[in-house]
Amino acid sequence: MSDKNVRVRFAPSPTGPLHIGGVRTALYNYLFARKQGGKMILRIEDTDQTRFVPGAEEYIIEAFNWCGIEFDEGVINGGPYGPYRQSERKDIYRDYAEELIASGIAYYAFDTPEELSSIRQQYESEKKTFIYNYEERQKLRNSLTIDEKNVADLIGKGTPYVIRFKMPEDEMVVMDDLVRGRVEVNTKVLDDKILFKSDGMPTYHLANVMDDHLMEISHVIRGEEWLPSLPLHVMLYRAYGWDEPQFAHLPLLLKPEGNGKLSKRDGDRLGFPVFPLKWTDPKTKETSRGYREDGYFPEAFINMLALLGWNPGDERELFSMDDLVEAFSIERVGRSGSKFDPEKARWFNHQYLVTKGNEELADLFEPILTGKGIAAGKEKVSIVVGMVKERANFVTDLWDQSSFFFVAPAEFDQKAVKKRWKADSYEQMIELQKVLSGIDDFSSDNIEQTVKSWIEKKEYGMGMIMNAFRLLIVGALKGPHLFDIVALIGKEDTLQRIDFGLKTIGKKEA
RNA sequence: GCACCGUUCGUCUAGCCAGGUCAGGACGCCAGGUUUUCAUCCUGGUAACACGGGUUCAAAUCCCGUACGGUGUACCA
């Protein structure tokens, strides 16, 4: 039941790092395309030269690369509908805009930005809102109020002008949206949007509609912030006599607390990234953290993002990209904005971390160990990781959970000492040390058996001994099965740690 | 201001279109169990249909209104 020629696009502006809301929009496009057996296109909408930020496009591409979102056509790998950067398509827009003027659907306007802003100010002081519409355009400087000859003169003299859409005075525009259903707007509340700017570039509205048509985009899946301009876009398609694509306007990602759209500030304030990758602003040198650098797995990041505004309709929560493709449908996208929950993001990462193989995790952990000046064999690191990964959300947590496998404790958790280091502990640990030094087969099972039978024979309390023992070996009351730890660090190290602990903690007075 | 969109546990959400289960799941939190410790894990608990009308034998579900929120209202996208 898939449409024959599904073609979707993600069309960001290179004005800075890609926000996770944008990543989610791209993800839904990608899932939809894959599910329908269609094509996914990456187009760069750089019609505003003043907002261009160097490195932004590269960032966007790298981010998708990291996430595993792939494009069939676009600025990365080209394609038959190129170029895919709007600045490189500049020449084709003007003719289309002129065509609209010829058919009376658009007109030239000579009002300068300064004139317009002063009118706006004046209206505001009278508590009115200025909109450039069917009423106002009669009083302004445009090809509707100036005769043809003078318009030609003005243009001939190089007077800057823009091209505006002549919004009908009173017409119902009926639109259909895949997630919102039928939407109706009367054109009387709409304004004469600029289609073509005085700098020779089209605005988003024109460029976007034209390119979507020229690139044969079948479904426009984009953020809800575009819904208010949908009537204009639809009217443009109709004015050109083009088939409209199907539209789907996605709900926005909201900040975790309070109200409003998720922004970089929220991330900084609440301690989580708002961007997939770390970003350094080329001008201010200000940096923003990224999911990748914060230790998230791309699979977890994608999984988390996919479930923010979409759900499969059953109770599954863990999805690989392939699973998502299989389960995705645009009809199941929600209609209301989703507050981002950093806590659940961490949970997702944990889920992926524990299912990763120990060798793979060891490889990821290795650089951290090296940074601490530790050169442990891969085999040992794998074993250690296998023992502690349940306790970690991120690869970086692994060190806190396993440092004692690699370095002997230099100090001891004072609260634990207070709680578990009793008057008898000192003597008991000396005894234990003797028992341990007598063991030849220093395997976990054998040590356990030997120590336990010693405890039984002496009628010592199990908890009493084991907690004190753990304190000496680990430095705190945490970590995996203690006999596994001592077996791994070996007999010599174990005995040394007991020596050091005994010396450092000392004997507790009764 | 105006326009459009939205509103189910603290959060993500199922259920709504085709009215009729104690409104289900997950995260978080709390309690208990398991464990030599921490974590994992297991069990249980916590907590929601924004409000007001209407239609109906019956409304989270359909209709109207209100409130609240979001977005848009740029020669930005």
Side-chain angles (χ1 to χ4, degrees):
Chain A
M1 77 158 255
S2 63
D3 296 5
K4 269 140 284 168
N5 292 308
V6 166
R7 290 173 59 81
V8 299
R9 85 303 194 270
F10 182 66
S13 282
T15 54
L18 188 61
H19 187 276
I20 54 174
V23 177
R24 193 197 56 170
T25 299
L27 175 63
Y28 286 4
N29 272 282
Y30 176 73
L31 297 175
F32 182 78
R34 282 284 171 278
K35 177 71 186 264
Q36 305 290 326
K39 295 267 191 274
M40 171 78 166
I41 291 118
L42 179 62
R43 185 173 71 218
I44 297 293
E45 308 219 326
D46 54 350
T47 53
D48 186 354
Q49 296 142 333
T50 63
R51 293 210 310 158
F52 176 82
V53 174
E57 183 181 319
E58 290 73 10
Y59 176 98
I60 289 166
I61 291 168
E62 193 184 345
F64 286 133
N65 211 359
W66 177 68
C67 292
I69 293 176
E70 298 162 333
F71 292 87
D72 301 296
E73 283 174 32
V75 292
I76 304 171
N77 39 13
Y81 296 82
Y84 292 91
R85 232 177 319 259
Q86 289 183 331
S87 58
E88 295 167 15
R89 302 169 64 78
K90 190 175 171 184
D91 295 342
I92 63 180
Y93 301 111
R94 174 170 245 124
D95 289 346
Y96 279 89
E98 300 281 356
E99 188 186 323
L100 254 20
I101 290 185
S103 50
I105 285 162
Y107 59 91
Y108 297 111
F110 300 96
D111 322 278
T112 66
E114 294 72 30
E115 286 167 1
L116 258 16
S117 95
S118 95
I119 298 174
R120 283 202 181 87
Q121 264 178 26
Q122 200 197 319
Y123 270 58
E124 205 168 322
S125 69
E126 296 166 23
K127 294 207 154 190
K128 291 194 293 187
T129 309
F130 171 79
I131 51 174
Y132 207 120
N133 62 8
Y134 63 95
E135 271 176 331
E136 302 291 344
R137 68 180 165 230
Q138 300 307 329
K139 309 176 210 159
L140 294 156
R141 297 174 53 222
N142 52 54
S143 59
L144 267 16
T145 58
I146 303 171
D147 64 62
E148 208 171 317
K149 186 183 166 299
N150 283 317
V151 168
D153 269 4
L154 246 21
I155 292 175
K157 279 193 308 197
T159 313
Y161 65 90
V162 301
I163 296 175
R164 284 183 184 269
F165 186 77
K166 191 177 169 190
M167 188 59 72
E169 186 175 334
D170 182 13
E171 192 178 303
M172 261 307 183
V173 187
V174 181
M175 299 154 287
D176 192 49
D177 186 278
L178 258 16
V179 343
R180 275 151 228 284
R182 182 191 172 95
V183 179
E184 290 182 23
V185 177
N186 192 302
T187 56
K188 78 174 97 179
V189 301
L190 271 17
D191 63 342
D192 291 357
K193 274 274 173 303
I194 293 177
L195 264 18
F196 199 84
K197 301 184 275 188
S198 59
D199 65 357
M201 286 291 253
T203 59
Y204 169 86
H205 305 292
L206 211 226
N208 184 269
V209 165
M210 273 186 53
D211 286 344
D212 282 346
H213 172 254
L214 263 17
M215 293 179 184
E216 295 180 33
I217 299 303
S218 62
H219 298 259
V220 172
I221 304 168
R222 68 212 322 188
E224 196 185 2
E225 69 268 26
W226 294 111
L227 196 52
S229 46
L230 180 59
L232 201 223
H233 300 169
V234 165
M235 293 186 81
L236 244 17
Y237 281 101
R238 294 178 188 170
Y240 282 116
W242 293 338
D243 285 341
E244 295 162 41
Q246 292 215 260
F247 292 96
H249 288 88
L250 271 18
L252 265 21
L253 253 31
L254 273 17
K255 56 182 67 183
E257 31 183 68
N259 302 312
K261 185 158 87 151
L262 185 62
S263 69
K264 166 171 157 45
R265 268 194 131 57
D266 302 310
D268 293 345
R269 187 168 49 88
L270 272 11
F272 64 88
V274 168
F275 302 113
L277 273 34
K278 186 178 167 201
W279 166 258
T280 304
D281 187 286
K283 268 216 183 81
T284 64
K285 300 294 169 209
E286 188 189 3
T287 63
S288 306
R289 56 207 285 189
Y291 278 84
R292 182 177 65 183
E293 290 75 13
D294 269 26
Y296 282 85
F297 297 114
E299 308 94 290
F301 174 67
I302 286 297
N303 195 154
M304 176 270 297
L305 226 40
L307 273 295
L308 232 41
W310 170 85
N311 75 82
D314 55 41
E315 275 153 17
R316 289 175 295 164
E317 288 203 287
L318 267 11
F319 290 88
S320 68
M321 190 66 99
D322 287 344
D323 294 338
L324 285 172
V325 168
E326 179 59 35
F328 189 78
S329 81
I330 204 86
E331 290 77 22
R332 291 207 62 84
V333 171
R335 283 159 297 273
S336 51
S338 311
K339 285 189 178 175
F340 177 76
D341 182 8
E343 199 63 50
K344 189 124 187 190
R346 282 189 272 276
W347 176 80
F348 272 113
N349 211 63
H350 176 76
Q351 298 306 309
Y352 280 86
L353 189 140
V354 296
T355 53
K356 288 231 184 262
N358 297 339
E359 288 74 22
E360 186 183 350
L361 287 173
D363 286 339
L364 296 169
F365 190 24
E366 191 68 52
I368 295 173
L369 290 173
T370 308
K372 303 272 181 193
I374 292 159
K378 166 112 185 247
E379 197 183 343
K380 180 181 175 182
V381 177
S382 297
I383 294 168
V384 168
V385 163
M387 285 195 262
V388 303
K389 65 182 179 183
E390 297 283 359
R391 298 163 171 77
N393 289 331
F394 301 100
V395 170
T396 47
D397 294 341
L398 257 19
W399 172 251
D400 278 344
Q401 297 303 333
S402 70
S403 61
F404 47 84
F405 279 102
F406 307 103
V407 289
E411 50 191 26
F412 300 86
D413 177 10
Q414 282 310 301
K415 273 171 82 176
V417 170
K418 208 171 168 190
K419 194 172 167 203
R420 298 295 192 179
W421 194 256
K422 305 294 186 190
D424 295 333
S425 295
Y426 191 87
E427 299 300 338
Q428 288 170 339
M429 289 302 110
I430 290 174
E431 270 188 63
L432 174 62
Q433 193 182 29
K434 286 205 184 88
V435 172
L436 291 168
S437 67
I439 299 175
D440 291 324
D441 171 16
F442 215 69
S443 68
S444 178
D445 286 348
N446 192 47
I447 303 165
E448 179 166 2
Q449 207 178 28
T450 311
V451 170
K452 279 187 173 167
S453 60
W454 163 73
I455 292 171
E456 273 167 41
K457 199 172 73 195
K458 291 291 202 157
E459 295 185 342
Y460 291 147
M462 185 72 154
M464 176 89 169
I465 298 299
M466 291 307 293
N467 281 304
F469 186 17
R470 177 176 293 276
L471 195 50
L472 296 180
I473 302 301
V474 175
L477 298 174
K478 66 171 187 184
H481 193 60
L482 186 52
F483 296 108
D484 287 344
I485 301 175
V486 293
L488 196 60
I489 65 176
K491 186 169 167 178
E492 194 186 336
D493 196 357
T494 301
L495 299 178
Q496 275 175 13
R497 287 188 190 194
I498 295 174
D499 272 339
F500 177 75
L502 251 18
K503 204 173 67 192
T504 308
I505 301 172
K507 197 165 177 170
K508 183 173 182 174
E509 301 309 321

